[in-house]
C-alpha cells in the first residue's frame, strides 16, 4: 500500500495508543532529539489512533492551541503554523518534555507512562501513548523510493509507503511501478506542460514532433542504451559519475536526432553516492547498479519538466506494453552502421537499442545532421541542483 495523502484510522478499545510514522532515516539515534527539526520526528501522512478519553483530549488540546492564529495566542499559548506536520510533531515533543505524554519506538521508550499528581486529588494518571513506527516497515519516501530499507527486515515490500520526499511524485510512482492507470497510447498524446521555472527544451520545428511506427496501432518509437561510461572520459579527465551523465546527455541527443523517445537507464553506479556507505545502502542493494536511476544523483522535477516530452522513465521497461514492443526491437551496433540520417530516422523497430559508445554515435549523427542539437537541449553547460530540498542536518542550517 502506498499513500500520498493524509490517512487517519480510528477504532475503539481500552489501550491509549497512537501509532504514527516518522521521517527519520535512523530513528534509533535521532527520534525526539531536539537537535533535529520537529517535522522529522512525526510524519502525519499515516496515523492510527484508538479512541479513548485521553487520546481525544490530546487531539482537543492540539486543536485548541494551534488551529488558528487567535487561539494560538490567547488560549493555548502555542504557535500557529500552516505546516501541520511540523506543528503537530512540535506539540508532541513539548508534551514529552513536560511529562504529559509517553512515546515508544520498538524497544525504546521516551518520557513517562504516568503523569505526576496535580490538583487536590493527588492521583497519578496514565499518559497518552505515541508509538512511532520504524521506517523500515512503515516507509516514508526516502526509505521507500531510494534506500529500500524494508529489505533489512527481509520484506518484499513495505506494507505502507508514503509518497513524500521526492518532488514530481508522478515520475517516482511511474518509475517504481506504482502508477496503475498508465495508458501507453494516451500518455504521449498529452500536450507539453510549460513551467516558468523549468521550461521544456525547445527544439527546431523539424525535430519538435513525436514519431510513431504505425499510426493505426499507435506504436511509439523508443531508444535504449546502458550507461557504461565512455572512452572519452580519460581524455577529458572526467570522473566515473560525470561519464555516466555525459552518456545520458549524449543518449538524449541521439534519441531526438533519430526522432525517438529516450528510455532513461536504471544502471547508474549508486556506490558513487556520498550516502552509499553512510546510509548503509550496500545492505539494501543487491548490486550498486541495481535499479540505480538518475534521480539518486539529480533533481527529478527539474529534469523531467525540461525533458519529459523527449524521454520516459526507466520503469517503463517493465510494463507489459513496452515488453510487447521490445520483442521486435533492433540493435544499433556501431556508429558506422548509420550512414544516412533520414534512413536511420525511418528505421522501423519500435525499440532501438544502442550497443556502441553512445557519445561516438552522437558525434557521428551530429556530422550527418550538420549542426547537432546540443545548444537546443542544453543551452547552459551546467544544471544547478536544488540541494536545500534534500539536505537534512542536525540542528538546522
Amino acid at each position: 500500500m502506498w499513500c500520498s495523502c493524509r490517512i487517519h484510522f480510528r477504532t475503539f478499545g481500552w489501550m491509549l495508543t497512537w501509532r504514527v510514522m516518522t521521517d527519520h532515516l535512523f530513528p534509533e539515534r535521532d527520534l525526539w532529539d531536539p537537535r533535529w527539526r520537529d517535522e522529522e520526528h512525526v510524519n502525519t501522512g499515516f496515523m492510527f489512533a484508538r479512541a479513548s478519553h485521553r487520546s481525544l483530549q490530546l487531539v482537543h488540546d492540539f486543536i485548541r492551541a494551534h488551529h488558528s492564529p487567535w487561539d494560538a495566542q490567547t488560549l493555548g499559548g502555542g504557535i500557529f503554523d500552516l505546516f501541520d506536520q511540523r506543528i503537530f510533531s512540535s506539540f508532541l515533543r513539548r508534551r514529552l518534555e513536560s511529562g504529559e505524554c509517553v512515546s515508544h519506538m520498538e524497544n525504546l521508550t521516551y518520557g513517562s507512562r504516568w503523569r505526576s499528581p496535580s490538583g487536590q486529588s493527588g492521583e497519578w494518571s496514565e499518559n497518552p501513548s505515541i508509538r512511532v513506527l520504524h521506517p523500515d516497515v512503515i516507509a516514508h519516501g526516502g526509505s521507500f523510493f531510494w534506500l529500500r530499507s524494508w529489505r533489512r527486515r527481509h520484506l518484499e515490500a513495505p506494507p505502507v509507503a508514503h509518497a513524500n520526499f521526492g518532488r514530481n511524485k508522478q515520475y517516482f510512482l511511474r518509475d517504481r511501478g506504482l502508477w496503475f492507470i498508465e495508458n501507453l497510447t494516451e500518455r504521449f498524446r498529452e500536450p507539453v506542460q510549460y513551467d516558468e521555472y523549468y521550461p521544456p527544451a525547445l527544439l527546431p520545428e523539424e525535430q519538435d514532433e513525436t514519431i510513431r511506427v504505425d499510426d493505426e496501432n499507435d506504436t511509439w518509437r523508443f531508444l535504449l542504451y546502458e550507461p557504461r561510461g565512455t572512452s572519452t572520459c580519460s581524455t577529458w579527465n572526467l570522473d566515473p559519475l560525470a561519464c555516466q551523465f555525459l552518456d545520458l546527455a549524449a543518449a538524449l541527443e541521439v534519441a531526438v536526432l533519430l526522432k525517438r523517445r529516450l528510455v532513461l537507464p536504471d544502471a547508474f553506479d549508486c556506490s558513487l553516492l556520498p550516502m552509499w556507505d553512510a546510509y548503509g545502502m550496500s545492505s539494501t542493494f543487491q548490486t550498486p547498479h541495481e535499479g540505480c536511476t538518475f534521480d539518486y544523483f539529480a533533481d527529478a522535477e527539474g529534469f523531467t519538466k525540461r525533458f519529459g516530452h523527449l524521454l520516459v522513465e526507466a520503469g517503463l521497461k517493465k510494463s507489459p506494453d513496452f515488453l510487447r514492443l521490445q520483442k521486435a526491437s533492433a540493435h544499433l551496433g556501431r556508429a558506422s552502421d548509420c550512414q544516412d540520417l533520414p534512413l536511420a530516422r525511418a528505421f522501423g523497430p519500435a525499440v532501438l537499442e544502442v550497443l556502441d559508445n553512445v557519445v561516438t554515435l552522437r558525434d557521428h549523427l551530429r556530422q550527418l545532421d550538420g549542426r547537432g542539437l546540443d545548444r537546443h537541449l542544453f543551452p547552459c553547460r551546467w544544471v544547478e541542483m536544488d540541494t536545500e530540498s534534500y539536505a537534512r542536518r542536525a540542528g538546522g542550517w
Side-chain angles (χ1 to χ4, degrees):
M1 175 181 179
W2 63 268
C3 57
S4 59
C5 57
R6 280 157 174 72
I7 300 178
H8 303 266
F9 297 88
R10 185 183 70 175
T11 187
F12 293 94
W14 294 103
M15 296 180 64
L16 313 178
T17 302
W18 282 57
R19 296 180 185 271
V20 298
M21 62 186 302
T22 179
D23 273 343
H24 280 302
L25 295 170
F26 306 102
E28 301 91 340
R29 182 192 67 190
D30 302 323
L31 184 62
W32 302 122
D33 187 329
R35 294 178 301 172
W36 288 87
R37 303 182 306 174
D38 280 325
E39 57 264 37
E40 307 290 349
H41 299 310
V42 169
N43 181 328
T44 56
F46 187 84
M47 305 176 71
F48 174 97
R50 291 187 180 277
S52 70
H53 173 73
R54 291 185 179 88
S55 184
L56 293 175
Q57 185 63 45
L58 187 72
V59 177
H60 179 269
D61 291 347
F62 170 71
I63 294 175
R64 185 171 182 267
H66 297 294
H67 90 284
S68 76
W70 300 275
D71 284 353
Q73 295 173 8
T74 60
L75 296 178
I79 302 171
F80 180 69
D81 192 337
L82 290 175
F83 187 7
D84 59 343
Q85 176 167 314
R86 175 169 55 222
I87 202 65
F88 184 65
S89 189
S90 174
F91 170 78
L92 293 179
R93 178 181 55 78
R94 295 196 306 272
R95 285 288 175 122
L96 282 169
E97 293 172 350
S98 63
E100 299 174 274
C101 186
V102 62
S103 179
H104 307 276
M105 202 283 298
E106 298 195 326
N107 61 342
L108 299 175
T109 299
Y110 309 83
S112 173
R113 177 181 174 182
W114 300 97
R115 187 176 305 184
S116 301
S118 61
Q120 297 180 352
S121 65
E123 296 180 356
W124 290 76
S125 58
E126 192 170 6
N127 276 325
S129 173
I130 309 294
R131 178 165 291 279
V132 180
L133 304 171
H134 201 284
D136 287 358
V137 182
I138 306 299
H140 54 68
S143 174
F144 177 72
F145 290 123
W146 286 295
L147 298 187
R148 310 173 196 177
S149 58
W150 71 87
R151 289 181 172 178
R152 298 191 185 111
R153 306 296 178 105
H154 306 289
L155 299 172
E156 293 185 4
V160 172
H162 187 198
N164 66 337
F165 273 77
R167 298 190 297 174
N168 195 341
K169 295 182 182 181
Q170 189 176 94
Y171 161 79
F172 282 103
L173 293 172
R174 273 177 162 158
D175 187 73
R176 273 48 166 185
L178 294 171
W179 192 256
F180 302 117
I181 58 173
E182 192 65 277
N183 186 314
L184 196 61
T185 299
E186 297 299 326
R187 174 179 177 181
F188 301 120
R189 295 185 187 279
E190 299 172 0
V192 176
Q193 299 296 317
Y194 184 85
D195 186 291
E196 62 178 321
Y197 296 104
Y198 304 103
L202 299 178
L203 304 176
E205 291 185 4
E206 63 271 20
Q207 294 288 348
D208 193 13
E209 58 182 85
T210 302
I211 303 299
R212 289 173 288 176
V213 173
D214 187 336
D215 290 340
E216 184 175 328
N217 295 323
D218 290 320
T219 302
W220 303 87
R221 295 159 58 90
F222 300 98
L223 183 79
L224 287 174
Y225 87 101
E226 291 295 328
R228 301 182 178 89
T230 69
S231 58
T232 54
C233 290
S234 57
T235 303
W236 295 348
N237 195 28
L238 296 177
D239 63 38
L241 180 58
C243 287
Q244 293 180 75
F245 275 90
L246 173 63
D247 279 357
L248 176 58
L252 180 57
E253 190 172 347
V254 168
V256 175
L257 284 168
L258 295 179
K259 295 191 175 182
R260 292 175 175 270
R261 287 181 182 268
L262 176 66
V263 180
L264 290 169
D266 57 357
F268 279 78
D269 186 354
C270 272
S271 68
L272 300 174
L273 286 166
M275 65 182 186
W276 177 260
D277 291 324
Y279 289 2
M281 295 174 68
S282 60
S283 66
T284 59
F285 279 61
Q286 295 177 358
T287 70
H289 297 272
E290 182 210 0
C292 185
T293 47
F294 85 95
D295 55 80
Y296 280 89
F297 300 92
D299 178 13
E301 181 179 50
F303 186 83
T304 53
K305 284 186 175 179
R306 180 155 181 79
F307 304 114
H309 57 302
L310 306 173
L311 48 78
V312 292
E313 69 285 346
L316 182 72
K317 293 186 293 185
K318 299 177 182 178
S319 70
D321 288 331
F322 189 86
L323 293 173
R324 175 178 53 82
L325 294 178
Q326 198 171 11
K327 290 181 180 179
S329 64
H331 301 90
L332 185 57
R334 298 183 301 275
S336 58
D337 295 339
C338 181
Q339 295 298 333
D340 184 271
L341 191 54
L343 182 62
R345 287 171 175 166
F347 190 48
V351 180
L352 183 62
E353 299 184 39
V354 177
L355 302 181
D356 197 10
N357 183 318
V358 71
V359 175
T360 302
L361 177 59
R362 178 205 63 184
D363 294 342
H364 180 69
L365 293 180
R366 279 181 178 178
Q367 293 178 355
L368 295 179
D369 183 61
R371 54 182 175 177
L373 294 170
D374 53 323
R375 289 302 176 190
H376 295 279
L377 290 171
F378 313 107
C380 300
R381 289 188 175 274
W382 53 270
V383 177
E384 182 179 9
M385 180 182 173
D386 184 8
T387 54
E388 290 187 3
S389 298
Y390 300 98
R392 298 289 185 270
R393 180 183 301 173
W397 297 105

